[in-house]
Amino acid sequence: MTLIEPTADRQSTALAPDLRSLPDRAARAWTERMAVRPRADSTYTVTTESDSTYLVDIGQHACSCPDNRIRGEHCKHLRRVAIEITAKRIAPPGKDRATCDACGTVTFVAADARTPHLCGHCRLESGDIVRDRETGDRLVVTGITDTPADDWTIEATDETVADYDTNDGYPANDLVVLATYLSDAVSATEPREYAFPLSRLRRVEDAELVDSKNQ
């Protein structure tokens, strides 16, 4: 588990793309130095270059600044919070920033999420259909563990998942995924579970499943 804690003393920074086609408020949201800090629920504080601090509630699309509160404009503070969430510098409401336990990229996870923390690309869930990259066989995921492959012992062989000969080349710290062969899941009363390193399994997309049925 590697949650990324928001720091209370984050430095103000500028986040500037090509601004030539942006309206004034949007351009200032990118270029001005601001510090954004998450608070409770859907609220954030935004401290500006002039050292003014405003309360932004993205759930209500509201900000305590005069530009929003009095003039009703979509102010630079609201825009900046959205920019920082999109850039994954801060988490959206109900989420935490975390490092994916499989590939190391920054992702968002539910605030009460149990480990492992996985990004959308790596995330598998029980019931997902996956394909074994080594054999091409299709399997059904039955469980996601938070145990690395080099720490999971296969009882039948008394060796770890990482040491198993067909898993050579996959990261030893890959999380272990439990799965059963699709044919067994359909026909067997108690299908046998097998342990795989996460990166050995590729999620089968819906279109691929439809194509396979039509072949």
Side-chain angles (χ1 to χ4, degrees), residues 110-128:
D112 57 352
R114 299 176 60 185
T115 55
H117 294 145
L118 299 173
C119 67
H121 178 73
C122 297
R123 186 177 297 114
L124 293 175
E125 297 180 358
S126 294
D128 281 348

Side-chain angles (χ1 to χ4, degrees), residues 141-164:
V141 174
T142 57
I144 313 295
T145 79
D146 57 2
T147 304
D150 60 358
D151 199 32
W152 184 285
T153 301
I154 303 171
E155 293 184 7
T157 62
D158 199 31
E159 58 186 333
T160 68
V161 170
D163 290 336
Y164 198 70

Side-chain angles (χ1 to χ4, degrees), residues 44-60:
Y44 300 78
T45 57
V46 178
T47 302
T48 65
E49 290 181 335
S50 62
D51 207 30
S52 298
T53 298
Y54 300 102
L55 183 66
V56 169
D57 187 334
I58 62 170
Q60 298 296 322

Side-chain angles (χ1 to χ4, degrees), residues 3-4 11 38 51 54 68 80 104-105 133 162 164 214:
L3 287 177
I4 303 172
Q11 294 183 345
D51 207 30
Y54 300 102
N68 177 264
R80 183 55 174 260
T105 60
R133 297 180 189 275
Y164 198 70
N214 293 332

Side-chain angles (χ1 to χ4, degrees), residues 4-11 34-47 53-58 77 80-82 84-85 88-98 108 111:
I4 303 172
E5 296 293 337
T7 56
D9 57 347
R10 282 185 52 197
Q11 294 183 345
M34 304 184 202
V36 181
R37 302 179 181 88
R39 289 172 56 91
D41 301 322
S42 59
T43 62
Y44 300 78
T45 57
V46 178
T47 302
T53 298
Y54 300 102
L55 183 66
V56 169
D57 187 334
I58 62 170
H77 314 108
R80 183 55 174 260
V81 172
E84 299 235 0
I85 290 174
K88 294 187 177 180
R89 290 169 51 85
I90 59 173
K95 301 284 187 179
D96 286 326
R97 288 177 79 228
F108 297 139

